[in-house]
């Protein structure tokens, strides 16, 4: 049983994914936002492998905006250690606003280019 809001986000997600594709040189950075947590993965779609992942699990003591910022910094650090400097940003159907924007800005500040 899905709601109209969820169905709308899924339609937007598929529309975005038609043009966003991760390669070995420029993997896809996919964001998933739940009501309590935020998760991010850096994915090579050619091989179907997740190169790096980070989440806000264990950061529940701070506000959600700050959690997103910490996750962005963490994923940037891990990606650079794995040899990834540039990514394609996949907002996964969410508006580029709030926690998603904060995560992206923190990842940029951490050294990722997209």
């Amino acid at each position: 049983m899905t709601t109209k809001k969820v169905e709308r986000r899924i339609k937007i997600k598929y529309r975005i994914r038609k043009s966003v594709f991760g390669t070995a040189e420029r993997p896809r950075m996919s964001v998933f936002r739940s009501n309590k947590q935020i998760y991010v993965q850096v994915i090579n779609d050619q091989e179907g492998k997740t190169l790096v992942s980070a989440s806000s699990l264990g950061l529940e003591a701070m506000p959600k905006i700050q959690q997103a910022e910490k996750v962005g910094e963490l994923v940037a650090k891990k990606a650079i250690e794995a040899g990834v400097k540039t990514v394609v940003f996949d907002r996964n159907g969410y508006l580029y606003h709030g926690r998603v924007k904060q995560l992206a800005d923190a990842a940029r500040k951490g050294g990722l280019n997209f």
Side-chain angles (χ1 to χ4, degrees):
M1 184 166 108
T2 60
T3 63
K4 288 183 182 179
K5 191 174 187 178
V6 173
E7 290 171 0
R8 179 180 169 276
R9 187 184 73 80
I10 291 171
K11 281 183 185 178
I12 294 169
K13 175 182 175 176
Y14 288 131
R15 191 168 49 224
I16 293 168
R17 284 299 312 277
K18 281 193 281 190
S19 62
V20 175
F21 189 78
T23 62
E25 302 83 37
R26 196 164 175 197
R28 175 172 58 96
M29 187 167 107
S30 179
V31 175
F32 176 75
R33 183 193 66 165
S34 73
N35 285 338
K36 293 185 179 182
Q37 307 294 338
I38 190 159
Y39 308 87
V40 63
Q41 293 180 317
V42 177
I43 305 164
N44 178 353
D45 287 320
Q46 288 177 331
E47 296 179 12
K49 291 189 177 179
T50 299
L51 307 174
V52 174
S53 67
S55 73
S56 62
L57 294 172
L59 302 175
E60 289 87 4
M62 59 181 69
K64 290 191 265 187
I65 288 283
Q66 289 179 353
Q67 288 179 17
E69 191 173 343
K70 291 284 187 193
V71 172
E73 293 169 1
L74 181 62
V75 77
K77 180 182 170 194
K78 284 183 175 182
I80 289 172
E81 287 175 2
V84 175
K85 300 245 190 261
T86 59
V87 295
V88 179
F89 188 70
D90 176 12
R91 59 188 174 91
N92 215 359
Y94 301 109
L95 293 177
Y96 187 76
H97 177 75
R99 289 192 284 160
V100 175
K101 184 176 189 290
Q102 194 71 30
L103 186 139
D105 290 344
R108 279 193 190 101
K109 199 185 299 185
L112 283 181
N113 295 322
F114 53 94

